[in-house]
Amino acid sequence: MKKENKFLDCIKIILVEVVAFFLFLFFLKVESIWTVIVAILLVALIYFLSKIYKEKFQALLEPFSKYQNFAIGVLFILLVLYPIISPLMIVHSTYWTLILIQTGIYIMIALGLNFQLGSTGMMNLATAAFYGIGAYTAGLLALKLGWSALITIPLAGLAAAFAGLLLVIPIYKTKGHYLALVTLAFGFMLVLAADNIEIIGGPQGLKNIPPVNIFGYSFLTNIGGLHFYTNYYYLVLALLGITILVFARLFNSWVGLTSAYIRDDELAAKGCGINTNFRKLIVFVVGNFFMGVAGALYAHMIGFISPPNFQFAQSLLIVAIVIIGGMDNILGVIIASILLVVFPEKLRVVTEYRIFLYGILLVVTLILRPRGILPFGPRKYDSSILKFARKGGS
Amino acid sequence: MAEEKKTIFYTEDIEMRFGGLYALKNINIKIYENEILGMIGPNGSGKTTFFNVITGFYKPTKGRFYFMGEDLTGKEPYDITRKGISRTYQTSRLCLDLTILDNILIGTYPVQKSGYIDAIFNRKKLIKEVKKHTERAVHLLNIFNPNLVEKLFVPVGSLPHIDRRRVEICRAMIAEPKLILLDEPSAGMNADETQELMDDIEKVRKEMENVTIMIIEHDMKVISSVSERVIALNFGQVIAEGTYEEVSHDKEVIEAYLGKEVANG
Amino acid sequence: MTSASIFLQIIFNGIMLGIQYSLVAVGFSLFFGVLDVINFAHGDIFMLGAFVSLILINVTGMLTASGATYVFLLILVIILSMIIVGGLGVFFERIVVKPVSKGPTLMSLVATLGLGIAIREAVRLFYPRGSETKRFPELLVKLFPGKEAIEFKGIILRYDNLLILAVGVIVVILLALYINKTKMGLTIRAVAQDAEAASMMGVNKNLIIDVTFFIGSALAALAGFMNGLYYNSIIFDMGAMAGIVGFSAAVIGGLGNIYGAIVGGFLFAMVESLSAALIPKGSEYMTVIAFAVVILFLIFRPSGILGERAYERV
């Protein structure tokens, strides 16, 4: 009986995911803005149905939490197949592949910020600047010194991490709102500096940054009939997967716990023996590392970076993603990234209003749902720990 | 009272000044090993300020204090906690959105060994540690309220007041401190809950035989039933010291609480 | 130009900017003191002040008047824009700032940031040709036909700048009198120092908050007007920088401390003015240098020159 149930659950998972996958492809494929409206209506419909048919919905979602690893595995396979299937269905599939890669890069940055802000309560308003430091580091090393992406990407992460260290140390002992001010000012200063320093390209930026080249295989190669962007798709997918794994593991560990305590009650954290200033420093540096890596990926892929890529508007977008998606919730951040990056691409007509809407969305979210669309769930550490919650005590 | 009482904690002329206001003045207090020491005093007499000073949240403007022979004056709260002093807070500082387990496990921070590297690459070591501490947490919860164990992964915010206080006490206990400071644990509790609280304090004593407890309280029932010795503060200074009987009949103490007329009869 | 006149010019420029920054910084300190919030929309209130006064200048047809009518209309425009924007400040406080002030400070920071962005973009989108720089007219030249400006010890003093100076001094004095002599002012100071003590004394907290936001926003609006007058141009995103600068100035002076905000504003302006004049390519880097000074302050004197609010309640 048990074996049969497990099999049934797995079929359910596969079915739901495949349907969602093709719905998504369809959403990308159809050109009119009606898709967005339909999508929103669909989501609203599902939401209301889930409230009415609570048990049915829970029965549907249960396999996902029970067999989480399997669900993730299926999703991964679908994501791997995407670049192969999408050209068959979508006319401008290359464009959308690029958008998805960009989304993946933003997710990486957002996860870095989520670790700083969502997990630990540290406001970083210069995410774009650190992303930019990563991009420029990789770009310069590749362009001027001819170093391979295998080296530039990690170094870009370290550069962003180091910059974060330099920024936080002076204000080590001060209160949280000063970090916001310092990062805000830093963001502006960095763009100003990048605009004025000729060696790194000035306002024209860096051009002709070499693509990723692993052991002779250049990422500019078209695979079969697929555009060379596909190479970057898989690279970003892999690195993003690692990023998600790292942060998920950190969440379910002492790191996640102490960070949450620092975020929610720093005084109590100190009273529990935590050197909060030191812990926050480490968090900031680690979060920045991933922003730098994301920047490097962007630089190699697009081959051209310039100061306007790394302005406050981009930092704001990342902050919006974390706050709207759910603080300290990896899945929430991913969903919000897709919402805030992919949807606007569909809504060409609202491009003018984008920033305005971000502002409004931030305000509304913080007033109505301060923890985000998907607030964080209980920290489970490990399935073996879950077993301790038994009725009547051990 | 035949054995020699060992002093594990003492202060030397502690003064805590905020601008022109003296919150604490000439404080010389000793805490003996294994005792339950009560501290009373009207609102604003400096009780919580005293706790804040000896746990490092405020740095005293004058004076020093020593724990287990070591000078802890000027140290940060996290250092002091690691030396073996735990506390609870008047407003029960728990993270309400986090689970019961999270809120208790955090108390073991001073003794946990795994960090970033283990969290990512060596899950086995991490889980082993978490398991060990979770077992202890469950053990502690069972002492106070076994019903809480099945709610290990429920946010603390959904618990009634007395259970939150219990979680906080578990958090203070789990790192096996030598000295536990309870700041008005009965704050906000009704009569039934206060009774349960008094039982809880007895349970703490039973579970940790060598622990020393200092408790600030407004509820005289609690103080009289659990403390072996009581210190009274008023306007930041010690005005009486002794058993509850002695202190509650002290003229200055009565005057502090009820005014001169009542004190003089 | 002699070195004396260069020096005087630097000082004068510093004072001009200092007045504007101080007026914005005072708002930051007030809001932090009374409501424990960092209101990042405040810079955009400054911007609203500039735009509202420009609209009023056009609507009242002020520029076609002359003589006493002109002066009257000028005063009317200034006061009306302060009142309108002050009211807007209270409006935003009621719908956004106060609700989020109950949570962690960081949340109010982001929420007000979002609010500020919404205000900024609203002006860009809905004001006719909003993304372009708008010309802000010279105002006092009309009254002194023939002469463009006054010359004093080698430096040129535009009439409008003198107006800014005069109004700035008057307003600062009025503000000092207000928070020291009037009941409401003293209450605001008390609440800013220790909100809990004040509420125990039976103060109507909500009224205090409304009044504080009104005053803070009105002052920022005045600063916006002055800024428009000083540069003869306004643009929808002028509030972004003003907000950061105002916040920094308030921080240097000590958050919650009104005098500190004024001192901080002038200090920031002086550093900018000195940098612009003495360092090559200074006018581009002056803000950067001033920020570096702010960071130095944060390292060595985190509670500000005149001291932030006291201890955190444990």
Side-chain angles (χ1 to χ4, degrees), chain C residues 164-178:
Chain C
I164 294 175
L165 183 63
V167 173
V169 168
I170 295 174
V171 166
V172 167
I173 294 178
L174 285 177
L175 180 69
L177 282 174
Y178 184 77

Side-chain angles (χ1 to χ4, degrees), chain C residues 245-269:
Chain C
V245 170
F247 181 46
S248 309
V251 162
I252 307 178
L255 273 175
N257 191 314
I258 297 169
Y259 297 123
I262 298 176
V263 170
F266 277 98
L267 191 64
F268 199 98

Side-chain angles (χ1 to χ4, degrees), chain A residues 249 252 254 258 261 264-265 267 270-271 273-275 279 283 371 378-379 381-382 388-389 391 393-394, chain B residues 57 78 81-82 93 95 97 99 102-103 108-109 112 119-120 123 126-127 129 135 142 149-150 153 171:
Chain A
R249 287 189 164 186
N252 283 309
W254 293 113
T258 49
Y261 239 77
D264 285 346
D265 195 335
L267 283 170
K270 287 189 188 173
I274 301 172
N275 184 343
R279 290 282 129 214
V283 164
R371 289 286 196 188
R379 197 177 322 270
Y381 301 98
D382 188 71
F388 280 93
K391 210 176 171 108
S394 62
Chain B
F57 285 100
Y78 47 83
T81 304
R82 290 182 209 187
R93 300 188 92 108
C95 292
D97 288 327
T99 63
D102 275 349
N103 275 289
T108 63
Y109 180 82
Q112 62 90 351
I120 303 173
R123 297 293 285 184
L126 173 78
I127 300 303
E129 235 190 355
E135 276 165 0
N142 263 324
V149 177
E150 59 173 341
F153 295 96
R171 182 181 71 183

Side-chain angles (χ1 to χ4, degrees), chain B residues 167-182:
Chain B
V167 169
E168 205 196 356
I169 293 177
C170 289
R171 182 181 71 183
M173 286 170 71
I174 197 167
E176 319 248 317
K178 291 211 176 46
L179 173 63
I180 297 184
L181 307 171
L182 303 173

Side-chain angles (χ1 to χ4, degrees), chain B residues 147-202:
Chain B
N147 292 329
L148 291 177
V149 177
E150 59 173 341
K151 296 194 187 157
L152 263 189
F153 295 96
V154 165
V156 160
S158 65
L159 294 179
H161 205 78
I162 174 98
D163 283 330
R164 288 194 205 176
R165 190 61 83 183
R166 286 170 171 149
V167 169
E168 205 196 356
I169 293 177
C170 289
R171 182 181 71 183
M173 286 170 71
I174 197 167
E176 319 248 317
K178 291 211 176 46
L179 173 63
I180 297 184
L181 307 171
L182 303 173
D183 193 347
E184 290 197 43
S186 79
M189 290 188 189
N190 59 35
D192 289 326
E193 290 173 324
T194 308
Q195 183 57 54
E196 288 187 64
L197 175 73
M198 294 196 285
D199 295 335
D200 286 344
I201 298 178
E202 281 305 318

Side-chain angles (χ1 to χ4, degrees), chain A residues 246-276:
Chain A
V246 166
F247 283 122
R249 287 189 164 186
L250 286 178
F251 178 81
N252 283 309
S253 74
W254 293 113
V255 175
L257 177 58
T258 49
S259 299
Y261 239 77
I262 295 173
R263 175 195 66 215
D264 285 346
D265 195 335
E266 196 169 341
L267 283 170
K270 287 189 188 173
C272 289
I274 301 172
N275 184 343
T276 56

